[in-house]
């Protein structure tokens, strides 16, 4: 473990968080650009009056949409390349990217804003960690405005975009400190129409990020305080938001938890659940939030010994009625995660998602990467495979 009191921070420079914060979108976007490439992720939102409000608000601030791209899945190399191809050479050329949607839209927005000024005819694949040719961003990306419509990935606050690669099947990051969104508008009201299943899986992503950032071997006092603050109300609010999507307090707590989880993970790293989630997504097509949800209790049990006092600290924060030793509080916390997943109708058996037993070795190998390197203890591929066999 590193020293908790030695850290650097990279955070978005401007954030407006609040119920109704979308009313500030035109004004804030106009501070970074007036000809936007709009990346839109949510079909349902685009049919709502909230969307109309936002587009009218942009016009009122002389912000013009010069191109619009739709994305309804986690972005692939092809999605990024096609977006860049479509916009390159277009007149007027955008001076800013505005992404309104879940993690997929914001990640595509981040990658597009970087590649529009850097691709020079090259595929984004060349720039990806692990599978690329080592190509680096040399020019500043177009400024990005991020407006999350789910409360999950926290990508609105981070410096990387996760891109799916087909050969070999994997998810890799395009990463640069210059890719942190310049403006972030988090309006929890935009999440009230989320379906129950997305509320559950994106919310579990945020909670997993907060727990893994807190226990990461690269955690520091600042990121840990963000994690505890996000978990304090977020942990109990997910169930409430799942049952009653209109609940303003619960939606606000979840959006706040997601934002803080992004700020924390960008500055501390994650752990085993996220490492395996990337492989489950790439090899078996399981959505990111769902994969995180399935792997969270597995990771907690597996890291329990080395991170016991940290889990106990989380337990005392989110379960104020539970008292006892670190062991007892950690037991109660893990049981609570189990019961939360049951409440959200999320199975914790990999086979229930179509994962085949013969895919487990590939998943174990594919789990290695940036996320796993933050795990509070090193895990060899063989051990990881055994862990996966147990939860298959
Ligand atoms: Fe995540």
């Amino acid at each position: 473990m590193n020293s908790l009191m030695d850290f650097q921070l990279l955070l978005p420079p401007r954030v407006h968080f609040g119920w109704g914060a979308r009313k500030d979108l035109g004004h804030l976007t106009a501070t970074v650009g007036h000809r936007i490439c709009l990346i839109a992720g949510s079909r349902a939102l685009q049919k709502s009056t909230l969307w109309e409000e936002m587009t009218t608000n942009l016009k009122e601030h002389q912000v013009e949409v010069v191109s619009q791209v739709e994305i309804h899945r986690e972005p692939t190399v092809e999605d990024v390349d096609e977006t860049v191809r479509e916009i390159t050479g277009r007149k007027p050329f955008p001076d800013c990217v505005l992404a309104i949607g879940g993690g997929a839209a914001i990640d595509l927005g981040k990658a597009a804003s970087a590649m529009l000024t850097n691709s020079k005819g090259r595929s984004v694949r060349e720039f990806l960690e692990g599978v690329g040719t080592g190509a680096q961003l040399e020019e500043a990306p177009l400024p990005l405005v991020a407006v999350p419509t789910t409360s999950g990935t926290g990508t609105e606050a981070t410096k990387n975009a996760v891109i799916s690669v087909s050969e070999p099947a994997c998810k890799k990051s395009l990463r640069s400190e210059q890719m942190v969104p310049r403006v972030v508008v988090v309006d929890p009201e935009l999440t009230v129409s989320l379906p129950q299943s997305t509320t559950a899986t994106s919310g579990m992503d945020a909670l997993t990020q907060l727990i893994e950032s807190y226990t990461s071997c690269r955690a520091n006092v600042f990121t840990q305080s963000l994690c505890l603050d996000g978990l304090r109300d977020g942990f109990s609010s997910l169930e409430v938001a799942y049952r009653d999507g209109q609940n303003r307090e619960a939606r606000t707590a979840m959006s706040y938890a997601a934002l803080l989880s992004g700020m924390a993970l960008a500055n501390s790293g994650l752990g085993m659940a996220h490492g395996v989630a990337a492989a489950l997504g790439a090899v078996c097509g399981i959505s990111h939030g769902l994969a995180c949800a399935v792997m969270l209790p597995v990771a907690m049990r597996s890291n329990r010994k080395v991170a016991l006092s940290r889990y106990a600290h989380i337990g005392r924060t989110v379960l104020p009625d539970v008292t006892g030793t670190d062991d007892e509080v950690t037991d109660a916390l893990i049981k609570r995660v189990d019961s939360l997943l049951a409440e959200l109708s999320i199975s914790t058996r990999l086979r229930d998602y179509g994962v085949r037993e013969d895919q487990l070795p590939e998943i174990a190998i594919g789990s290695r990467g940036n996320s796993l390197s933050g795990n509070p203890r090193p895990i060899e591929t063989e051990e990881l495979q055994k862990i996966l066999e147990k939860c298959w």
Side-chain angles (χ1 to χ4, degrees), residues 205 209 274 288 292:
D205 185 18
Q209 284 163 185
H274 269 78
H288 176 74
C292 287

